[in-house]
Amino acid sequence: MTDGTTLRALWGMVLRDLTVLRRNFLPLMVRTVMNPLLFVFVFTYVFPTIGTGVGVGRGGEGLGYATVVVPGLVAVGMVFTAISAVALPLTMELGATREIEDRVLAPVALELVALEKIVVAAVQGIVAGLVVFPLVYFIPATPVHVHVASWPLLILVVLLASLAAGALGLVLGTSVRPQQIGLMFAVVVVPITFLGCVYYPWALLAAIPWLQHLVLINPLVYMSEGLRAALTPDLPHMPPGASLGALVAQTVALGWLGVRGFVRRTLT
Amino acid sequence: MTAAALEIAGLTRTFAGPPAVTALAGVDLTVRPGEVFALLGPNGAGKTTTVGVCTTRVRPTAGTVALDGIDVARAPVRVKQRIGVVTQYNTLDRACTVFENLYYHCRYHGWGGREAAGRTGELLAQFRLADRAAAMAQTLSGGLAQRVQLARAIAHRPSMLFLDEPTAGLDPQSRLALWELIAGLRAQGITVLLTTHYMEEADRLSDRVAIIDHGKVLVTGTAAELKQRVGADTIVELQLERLDDALVARLEALPPVRRVHRGEHGLRVFGTARDGLIPPIVEAALPYGLADLRIHEPTLETVFIQLTGRELRD
């Protein structure tokens, strides 16, 4: 078996996933867009317009809430989409229908089949980020201040964040039964969203020290803070080195767990 | 002497409990290149686990499997290149069409786009699926789905094909259609390991048969050889209202009768010649409420019953 065959086989799996994605593109986009769209509409358009502002507290003076939530909502869009992209179909494919079988029987190491899932999920996460960004930039009634301080930093954060999210999706998809998928969103996805420094910068959690420390186990914190450093550098944010380092560590750890889970589920 | 296509030696597999289950208790088998080999046994005999190990999806507890001389546990990727698998359950990609199931299967085996599309067209025609090419896999009936699974399994031109209970749960017409297709593959010289609990399927499709029960191979040979082991050429099954040792003794004393087996609902009389066999049996059985009488030649099912004392579909 030459490496060329392995790469061609994996490319075949990517093409298959893209075919399925194209078929489900519209519902997928609706799912991706609905949450951030309603959030920015209510909190950054309706509230300021009717005179019920939501503040940012110390550190974000003058920049407004609409600016604070831009990086967070982009991060949530990416994470939510990447997790859904791999976890939802995978629970089915590994479940009663065993649809994964044909890819398990492809002449490729099982670990690579699992990694392909992460990569395709990451690509969908990036697309979701690109779709969410204009929404959260143009809808708010108050001005949004975004400028990219460093393109390499932005690209690195986006890549790592989407890979970490894809890996998290693989972990969830291989450890949850199809009947529990709704529960998984309630128990995992919703809490990491609300406690992911999406709607407030991490630095401001200093007012609640136990929470500030607790949320550090949440991968979304580093994605939001990383994007904050890249997109809204004038707002308080974690040092880019810290969020990048944590993202690398989490991508590796979640990737390892997810791949291991995949092999366990496919090899009896 | 050609090397074996598949060599299974001392294969065991236990599943951790509770309760712990021994699915395979030391299976030895040799499948020769180009033959159709049937593994016949009841549900739970270890057929699917055997196929699972041979196709790299189940780890053995002990023992080895070599496919074309390649160790399945050590080099799964090389083995996967050479095998095609049809499982008992429909594992078609539900998110894809029939065409895509075949096309992407070829891509997973490293084929280029044009080759894969060409081969898919060929298979759709060969398996009479052309009018279903655009149908989503989840809309197919059981018979059609198995046909697509068979087409998919041979798409990359494997040297060995594993068919795990390929016709289980199919209606008789779909079963016959699939049998025809499998017989066609045999003519193309592909080696096949077929598992089944239908004795007609093993009898009709295979060159050799192994009977498996409780994770062990009981006997191996051609269907004709196995039937000869029964030591009788006519079997008379009697359904009786009452069973009695005296009747068994009386039947066993008849000259053409070799043996009498007691079953749940009646007796099975093994005889050597049909002429003159039936009248004395009927005469002896009438006082015991003879409800039904069936005469047949030995089948693989008879062989199984003789070996295990149970029926195949128990």
Side-chain angles (χ1 to χ4, degrees):
Chain A
M1 174 103 194
T2 60
D3 288 338
T5 317
T6 305
L7 286 178
R8 282 202 299 277
L10 290 170
W11 179 237
M13 292 179 200
V14 171
L15 290 176
R16 178 261 172 210
D17 286 346
L18 293 180
T19 300
V20 175
L21 181 63
R22 200 165 53 231
R23 202 164 279 145
N24 303 326
F25 190 72
L26 207 63
L28 205 77
M29 274 304 113
V30 170
R31 231 166 44 193
T32 301
V33 157
M34 205 45 95
N35 177 53
L37 177 71
L38 289 173
F39 187 90
V40 287
F41 179 67
V42 172
F43 284 89
T44 69
Y45 178 79
V46 174
F47 277 14
T49 310
I50 63 178
T52 319
V54 179
V56 229
R58 289 156 290 134
E61 288 87 351
L63 281 175
Y65 190 59
T67 304
V68 170
V69 293
V70 166
L73 288 176
V74 171
V76 168
M78 291 173 57
V79 168
F80 181 80
T81 302
I83 289 178
S84 309
V86 53
L88 292 181
L90 198 58
T91 52
M92 301 301 292
E93 289 172 347
L94 290 170
T97 66
R98 297 295 299 176
E99 283 166 77
I100 200 75
E101 204 86 330
D102 200 33
R103 278 158 279 167
V104 166
L105 285 168
V108 172
L110 293 176
E111 290 80 359
L112 293 177
V113 179
L115 288 177
E116 185 270 346
K117 292 257 165 209
I118 297 182
V119 171
V120 171
V123 171
Q124 292 186 51
I126 292 171
V127 172
L130 292 173
V131 171
V132 169
F133 182 77
L135 297 180
V136 297
Y137 187 79
F138 288 112
I139 292 177
T142 52
V144 174
H145 303 275
V146 168
H147 72 95
V148 178
S150 154
W151 279 99
L153 175 65
L154 177 65
I155 290 166
L156 210 57
V157 169
V158 167
L159 280 179
L160 284 170
S162 54
L163 284 171
L168 179 59
L170 188 66
V171 172
L172 297 173
T174 53
S175 55
V176 168
R177 311 268 153 206
Q179 312 86 279
Q180 301 166 326
I181 197 80
L183 187 67
M184 177 202 81
F185 270 82
V187 172
V188 179
V189 180
V190 173
I192 67 169
T193 308
F194 276 93
L195 301 173
C197 297
V198 171
Y199 312 108
Y200 41 81
W202 182 74
L204 298 194
L205 284 182
I208 317 167
W210 64 269
L211 188 60
Q212 192 179 31
H213 288 100
L214 185 68
V215 297
L216 289 176
I217 59 167
N218 181 352
L220 190 53
V221 168
Y222 306 100
M223 302 175 194
S224 306
E225 288 290 313
L227 282 177
R228 220 157 251 143
L231 291 173
T232 58
D234 301 332
L235 280 173
H237 56 78
M238 268 184 199
S243 34
L244 284 176
L247 280 176
V248 169
Q250 278 173 334
T251 305
V252 171
L254 291 169
W256 181 79
L257 267 178
V259 169
R260 199 186 61 152
F262 184 82
V263 172
R264 279 193 177 172
R265 289 292 300 276
T266 51
L267 189 60
T268 313
Chain B
M1 163 105 191
T2 25
L6 184 74
E7 185 86 62
I8 302 177
L11 192 64
T12 66
R13 174 64 211 241
T14 45
F15 291 102
V21 174
T22 302
L24 299 179
V27 168
D28 298 281
L29 272 186
T30 305
V31 179
R32 300 171 193 143
E35 76 175 337
V36 176
F37 192 100
L39 206 50
L40 176 69
N43 291 325
K47 304 186 298 290
T48 297
T49 309
T50 304
V51 170
V53 176
C54 294
T55 56
T56 77
R57 296 166 302 151
V58 176
R59 285 197 192 96
T61 304
T64 56
V65 176
L67 193 135
D68 288 342
I70 305 164
D71 189 310
V72 167
R74 284 202 199 138
V77 172
R78 280 179 65 207
V79 167
K80 285 193 276 188
Q81 268 181 305
R82 288 157 189 265
I83 61 171
V85 184
V86 174
T87 49
Q88 183 177 356
Y89 304 104
N90 173 356
T91 63
L92 293 175
D93 197 336
R94 307 292 200 280
C96 289
T97 63
V98 169
F99 180 94
E100 287 161 359
N101 265 281
L102 300 174
Y103 173 82
Y104 286 119
H105 177 88
C106 292
R107 301 295 304 245
Y108 301 160
H109 281 266
W111 292 32
R114 196 171 304 166
E115 289 171 293
R119 177 70 173 146
T120 303
E122 216 175 282
L123 289 166
L124 290 172
Q126 186 187 339
F127 285 80
R128 299 189 302 278
L129 290 163
D131 55 335
R132 303 295 184 126
M136 295 301 288
Q138 63 192 358
T139 64
L140 301 178
S141 68
L144 270 177
Q146 277 311 67
R147 228 194 284 171
V148 179
Q149 291 218 98
L150 187 58
R152 184 177 71 174
I154 62 157
H156 58 289
R157 304 187 196 285
S159 63
M160 179 148 192
L161 188 60
F162 291 88
L163 306 175
D164 189 14
E165 299 268 7
T167 67
L170 293 190
D171 60 87
Q173 204 184 344
S174 303
R175 172 169 304 146
L176 281 175
L178 208 68
W179 281 357
E180 237 171 73
L181 288 166
I182 295 169
L185 295 178
R186 175 190 189 170
Q188 290 170 26
I190 187 167
T191 310
V192 178
L193 179 70
L194 163 81
T195 80
T196 182
H197 66 277
Y198 298 117
M199 55 122 186
E200 312 95 287
E201 191 161 280
D203 206 351
R204 195 162 156 164
L205 294 177
S206 65
D207 298 303
R208 288 196 303 145
V209 183
I211 292 183
I212 184 171
D213 192 36
H214 295 308
K216 275 202 145 130
V217 172
L218 303 177
V219 66
T220 306
T222 64
E225 282 166 4
L226 298 189
K227 288 178 204 166
Q228 246 167 19
R229 288 173 50 103
V230 174
D233 45 32
T234 304
I235 291 146
V236 182
E237 287 183 37
L238 304 172
Q239 253 189 48
L240 301 162
E241 278 160 23
R242 280 177 296 120
L243 282 180
D244 198 311
D245 287 337
L247 174 62
V248 174
R250 194 171 156 195
L251 290 173
E252 276 176 339
L254 294 171
V257 171
R258 285 288 174 85
R259 275 188 320 281
V260 178
H261 274 192
R262 244 177 124 139
E264 249 177 75
H265 310 289
L267 298 175
R268 203 173 260 115
V269 183
F270 294 76
T272 46
R274 188 169 288 193
D275 292 342
L277 176 66
I278 312 301
I281 292 178
V282 173
E283 194 186 325
L286 272 175
Y288 296 87
L290 180 60
D292 191 24
L293 179 145
R294 278 181 58 222
I295 306 162
H296 59 85
E297 290 176 0
T299 62
L300 289 174
E301 175 124 27
T302 324
V303 180
F304 183 82
I305 292 165
Q306 198 185 14
L307 287 166
T308 66
R310 290 179 294 118
E311 311 222 342
L312 258 175
R313 270 167 249 184
D314 273 359

